[in-house]
């Protein structure tokens, strides 16, 4: 059995998904035709049944590859913060970190003290201030630090994807 890397598997899975969608569209296109009374319908070169069999075969390969990728992601590990974590956990951690970076960056752009619009009736207007209850600069710095960390984590995931092998024959989907 031949093997592909996880990085190749990601590309193959995407190609298989596109192929399934194309085949489904082809099946719909080849499923009927419009003719005038008395005319003979032009039969497409590929029948609905042939296309359905191809969809079933590609779908079975897709499910097999998807399972092998999941197994690899739960068994392959990368070093992170003094211990090893699975690639699956690293992927989820990277997603969580990116969400956190967005909020930290937002908090880091706020001003410590910001004047709000005045409120009240004429002559009795009160000036309001929005006061940050934290240090915006510290959050700005934390966002930058976490961005560097997630870049490193993503690099480790990418490295693992190029080295971990999956037992799958992908010759039908790539040359």
């Amino acid at each position: 059995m031949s093997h592909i890397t996880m990085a190749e598997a990601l590309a193959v899975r995407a190609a298989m998904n596109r192929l399934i969608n194309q085949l489904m569209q082809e099946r719909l296109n080849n499923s009927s035709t419009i003719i005038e009374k008395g005319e003979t319908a032009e039969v497409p070169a590929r029948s609905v049944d042939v296309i359905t069999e191809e969809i079933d075969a590609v779908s079975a390969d897709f499910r097999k590859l998807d399972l092998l990728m999941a197994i690899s992601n739960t068994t392959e590990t990368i070093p992170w913060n003094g211990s090893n974590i699975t690639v699956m956990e690293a992927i989820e951690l990277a997603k969580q970190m990116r969400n956190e970076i967005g909020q930290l960056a937002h908090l880091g752009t706020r001003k410590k003290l910001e004047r709000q619009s005045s409120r009240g009736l004429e002559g009795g207007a009160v000036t309001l201030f929005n006061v940050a209850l934290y240090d915006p600069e510290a959050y700005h710095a934390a966002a930058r630090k976490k961005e560097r960390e997630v870049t490193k984590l993503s690099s480790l995931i990418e490295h693992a994807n190029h080295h971990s092998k999956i037992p799958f024959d992908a010759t039908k989907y790539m040359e």
Side-chain angles (χ1 to χ4, degrees), residues 12 15-16 19 57-58 61-62 168-175:
V12 168
M16 292 166 80
L19 178 58
V58 176
D61 284 347
F62 183 94
F168 184 79
D169 183 5
T171 54
K172 291 187 279 185
Y173 307 103
M174 62 187 245
E175 294 189 276

Side-chain angles (χ1 to χ4, degrees), residues 34-108:
I34 298 173
I35 61 168
E36 286 186 24
K37 185 175 182 178
E39 287 185 353
T40 304
E42 185 178 320
V43 179
R46 290 167 39 90
S47 73
V48 170
D49 293 338
V50 167
I51 297 168
T52 298
E53 288 174 12
E54 194 172 339
I55 291 169
D56 291 345
V58 176
S59 295
D61 284 347
F62 183 94
R63 290 188 309 274
K64 178 181 178 183
L65 180 59
D66 204 45
L67 175 63
L68 292 170
M69 291 172 68
I71 291 168
S72 178
N73 279 341
T74 57
T75 56
E76 293 291 324
T77 61
I78 60 171
W80 186 250
N81 287 344
S83 64
N84 287 329
I85 61 173
T86 65
V87 171
M88 178 177 273
E89 184 180 357
I91 291 168
E92 182 57 34
L93 177 59
K95 288 177 191 176
Q96 291 172 358
M97 289 172 75
R98 286 187 182 96
N99 286 337
E100 177 73 1
I101 289 166
Q103 190 163 63
L104 291 174
H106 174 73
L107 291 170

